[in-house]
Amino acid sequence: MSEEKKTDLVVKEERVQMDWLSRENIKKILLIALAIIIMLVFFQKLGVVFGVLKKLWDIVFPFVFGASLAFIVNVPMVQVENKFLGKKPFKGKRILAWFITLVCILAVIAGAMFIIIPQIVDTAKSVAANVQDLGSLSDIQAWIIQKFPQTESLIASADVSYKSLVSKAMEWIQKSGSSLLNSGVGVVSSVVSGVATFFIGFAFSVYVLFRKEELAVQGKKVLYALFPEKTNEKILKVFSLSYKTFSNFIRGQVLEACILGLLFFIAMTIFRMPYAMMCAVLIAITALIPIFGAFLGGGISTLLILMVSPKLALIFMGMFLVLQQLEGKLIYPHVVGSTVGLPGIWVLFAITVGGELLGVAGMLIFVPLCSVLYALFREFVYTRLAKRQVTPDKWAIKPAKAARGEPIKVNTEKLQQLKERKARSKVAAEEAKESIADVIEDGRDTPEE
């Protein structure tokens, strides 16, 4: 091998080494190594990691709660500020809109509690009075046997007496006294912590509502300072989609709950059932929880009506099933489904996962959140299909005749008309180009004044 070839090989090897040790490759290697180290630490110290994450969540939770509260209040507040108070700005408009919105929300909550709580108290008093009227435990047993004769052998074999019940209750109190004391202290501390969290979140929500434009500008500044412009456009698109989806979900869910409560009030009034207003309000409130909420309100209402009349309770159950089917087939898909755009199976998935993670709040949050992820993933899939030039015949259940090898019937007359129209358009375009060229030439020949 000649000296020139050897030097060329050495130069090529040095270039390869230089390319390999470039700044970008070194960054990639360091990032991969850091990711591997983080994964190893995560899996080896899983309990410690979750403990740290829980502490961080406890610290951040008041601000997350405040941001969520601000978002919910902002939905009606925007309507009050722009429509009710007019579009012209004036001093104190934002404060007045916030105050009106807060008063309306508190009035709705107080009105619901004013309707529900007194009737529940009255029901509890009537049940207690009925139990007292029955007298001793033997009288209760005799009343049960009279109403349900098949339970006589079961009650006789149970051999229940007041003395045995009292002794068992005293044993249970002695054994669980210390645990009850500890749980009482835990309940008090959790109540104090919850009140503190609420006031911190409430104060943060007020700040966010009054400074939302400034916060949006500051957030955009941070994004444009950290990420390239294309990435910022995608991030802002996700934020815009999330805001639109969550707002539509809140509006649709509240409207759907009000419609369902009104239907129950009308139906129960027609059938002259007790607690019509209370049951309607209760079902409307619980219907804010998607899918399962109305069943919870319906179950509580059935128990309350059962205390008055078992026959009316059965009628109410049948009415509930009919109205629930009406709501699920007609109202919910048109009012909420169109605003969220999430298929029913994924709504069920979102409610299950959200309920396991965050309880009732998770059920409310995860439906629009999954809707945003669903919309983004659907857009990604269709974009990839368009780039790969995949036609709908590939995934259609019943592909077109051309995909099955059958000839497609062509309307030759219409095709000929399209060809003639295209030819005329081409001739007109050529004539326009020639006239423009003539005008330009005439302008060049004209002497300057």
Side-chain angles (χ1 to χ4, degrees):
M1 184 180 291
S2 62
E3 293 294 330
E4 294 181 359
K5 290 183 177 180
K6 288 181 179 180
T7 53
D8 290 339
L9 289 173
V10 171
V11 171
K12 288 180 180 179
E13 289 177 358
E14 289 178 354
R15 286 179 179 175
V16 170
Q17 289 178 358
M18 291 297 292
D19 292 338
W20 174 253
L21 295 175
S22 63
R23 185 175 295 179
E24 293 182 359
N25 287 334
I26 290 173
K27 286 182 179 179
K28 291 179 181 178
I29 292 169
L30 291 176
L31 288 173
I32 293 170
L34 181 63
I36 293 172
I37 292 170
I38 291 172
M39 289 178 65
L40 290 174
V41 172
F42 180 81
F43 285 110
Q44 288 181 355
K45 303 290 183 179
L46 200 60
V48 177
V49 171
F50 278 112
V52 172
L53 291 176
K54 188 178 182 303
K55 288 182 180 179
L56 290 174
W57 173 251
D58 292 337
I59 295 171
V60 178
F61 178 75
F63 302 100
V64 175
F65 170 74
S68 303
L69 184 63
F71 185 88
I72 293 171
V73 175
N74 184 63
V75 174
M77 181 177 161
V78 170
Q79 303 296 323
V80 173
E81 187 175 359
N82 295 332
K83 294 184 178 180
F84 182 73
L85 298 178
K87 295 184 178 181
K88 292 182 179 180
F90 57 86
K91 190 176 181 180
K93 183 179 180 182
R94 177 67 54 84
I95 298 174
L96 183 60
W98 173 80
F99 181 75
I100 293 173
T101 305
L102 188 64
V103 168
C104 291
I105 292 173
L106 292 177
V108 170
I109 295 173
M113 294 298 103
F114 182 76
I115 292 171
I116 293 174
I117 292 176
Q119 294 196 14
I120 290 178
V121 172
D122 293 340
T123 304
K125 287 181 179 179
S126 64
V127 171
N130 291 331
V131 171
Q132 289 178 358
D133 292 339
L134 290 173
S136 63
L137 186 64
S138 58
D139 295 334
I140 296 173
Q141 292 176 356
W143 179 81
I144 294 173
I145 293 171
Q146 183 182 358
K147 293 290 184 181
F148 306 99
Q150 61 271 21
T151 60
E152 182 177 2
S153 58
L154 181 64
I155 292 173
S157 62
D159 192 19
V160 180
S161 62
Y162 277 123
K163 292 182 180 180
S164 62
L165 291 175
V166 171
S167 62
K168 289 179 181 179
M170 292 300 296
E171 289 178 5
W172 180 80
I173 291 172
Q174 290 175 0
K175 289 180 181 179
S176 58
S178 59
S179 61
L180 287 172
L181 182 62
N182 294 330
S183 64
V185 174
V187 167
V188 172
S189 63
S190 63
V191 168
V192 173
S193 176
V195 171
T197 300
F198 175 78
F199 279 106
I200 293 172
F202 181 77
F204 183 71
S205 69
V206 174
Y207 176 80
V208 170
L209 288 171
F210 288 173
R211 301 287 182 181
K212 56 185 178 180
E213 289 84 4
E214 296 177 11
L215 292 173
V217 172
Q218 291 173 1
K220 287 182 180 180
K221 287 180 181 178
V222 172
L223 287 177
Y224 281 103
L226 295 177
F227 304 106
E229 189 170 354
K230 289 185 178 180
T231 305
N232 291 330
E233 289 177 359
K234 292 180 181 178
I235 294 172
L236 292 175
K237 183 180 178 181
V238 171
F239 279 131
S240 176
L241 180 63
S242 302
Y243 175 78
K244 183 180 178 181
T245 304
F246 274 77
S247 301
N248 291 337
F249 174 74
I250 291 172
R251 293 192 195 97
Q253 198 70 28
V254 171
L255 181 60
E256 183 264 345
C258 293
I259 293 173
L260 187 62
L262 183 62
L263 288 176
F264 270 95
F265 177 74
I266 293 172
M268 293 180 71
T269 304
I270 292 172
F271 285 95
R272 297 182 180 180
M273 290 188 177
Y275 311 122
M277 179 61 74
M278 185 196 69
C279 293
V281 173
L282 186 63
I283 290 172
I285 293 173
T286 54
L288 294 173
I289 303 171
I291 296 181
F292 300 120
F295 287 97
L296 177 62
I300 298 173
S301 301
T302 304
L303 290 175
L304 293 174
I305 297 173
L306 184 64
M307 300 296 177
V308 178
S309 171
K311 182 180 178 181
L312 290 176
L314 289 174
I315 296 174
F316 177 80
M317 289 175 64
M319 180 197 305
F320 177 82
L321 293 176
V322 172
L323 291 178
Q324 186 63 26
Q325 288 295 318
L326 180 66
E327 183 263 348
K329 300 294 183 182
L330 296 177
I331 300 173
Y332 194 89
H334 288 85
V335 176
V336 180
S338 59
T339 59
V340 179
L342 192 64
I345 185 65
W346 295 114
V347 172
L348 182 61
F349 172 79
I351 290 170
T352 305
V353 175
E356 288 292 330
L357 294 176
L358 299 175
V360 177
M363 292 181 182
L364 296 174
I365 293 171
F366 268 67
V367 173
L369 181 63
C370 287
S371 177
V372 172
L373 296 176
Y374 178 80
L376 293 173
F377 185 70
R378 182 176 58 186
E379 183 180 356
F380 168 76
V381 169
Y382 278 98
T383 304
R384 295 288 296 174
L385 289 173
K387 285 183 179 179
R388 293 174 177 268
Q389 296 181 352
V390 180
T391 59
D393 297 330
K394 301 294 183 182
W395 68 77
I397 297 175
K398 294 181 179 180
K401 292 183 178 180
R404 299 198 300 263
E406 297 181 12
I408 297 176
K409 295 181 180 179
V410 180
N411 191 341
T412 54
E413 202 174 309
K414 192 172 182 180
L415 184 62
Q416 185 64 28
Q417 290 176 359
L418 290 173
K419 287 181 179 179
E420 291 176 358
R421 191 182 302 169
K422 188 176 180 182
R424 287 196 299 269
S425 301
K426 191 174 181 181
V427 170
E430 292 294 336
E431 290 177 354
K433 286 181 181 179
E434 290 177 1
S435 61
I436 292 170
D438 292 339
V439 170
I440 293 172
E441 291 294 333
D442 293 340
R444 288 176 182 172
D445 294 340
T446 303
E448 295 181 0
E449 294 181 0

